[in-house]
Amino acid sequence: SRGAGLSRQLLSSHLATLADGGVRRVHLEVDDGNVPALALYRRLGFAETGRRASYYARPDGSRANAIMMQAAPARAYSRTVRWALMALP
């Protein structure tokens, strides 16, 4: 359910794996109306790098902008996240 932190845990774990594998930059894009996703990405260190106007088609026929974001997963961060995930009940 929303607010349980599962998305944060999954994405943090994935970013840790990428960092440990030598990935230096991660890019994503998200619908500008997806407020919960934007908040999550920002909490995990993603910053906006651009926008694509009217990129997504919504079911009601309207168009939504795409926000492009990127982050640099750091190895120190990845070790902290892995430890925190292992400590979860």
Side-chain angles (χ1 to χ4, degrees):
S1 69
R2 288 200 181 255
L6 182 58
S7 296
R8 180 184 46 77
Q9 293 170 20
L10 289 170
L11 185 54
S12 294
S13 178
H14 186 62
L15 290 171
T17 299
L18 292 172
D20 288 345
V23 172
R24 296 188 316 190
R25 188 142 332 269
V26 178
H27 300 266
L28 61 81
E29 62 184 45
V30 61
D31 180 321
D32 65 355
N34 192 341
V35 175
L38 284 165
L40 170 65
Y41 299 145
R42 288 182 178 128
R43 273 195 309 272
L44 292 176
F46 283 84
E48 184 175 330
T49 58
R51 290 178 177 248
R52 292 185 176 138
S54 299
Y55 188 72
Y56 294 112
R58 292 188 171 143
D60 67 2
S62 65
R63 306 291 297 182
N65 298 325
I67 297 178
M68 296 174 290
M69 304 179 90
Q70 73 176 11
R75 288 186 184 278
Y77 172 75
S78 71
R79 284 190 211 99
T80 301
V81 169
R82 283 179 191 260
W83 179 85
L85 288 174
M86 290 187 313
L88 290 174

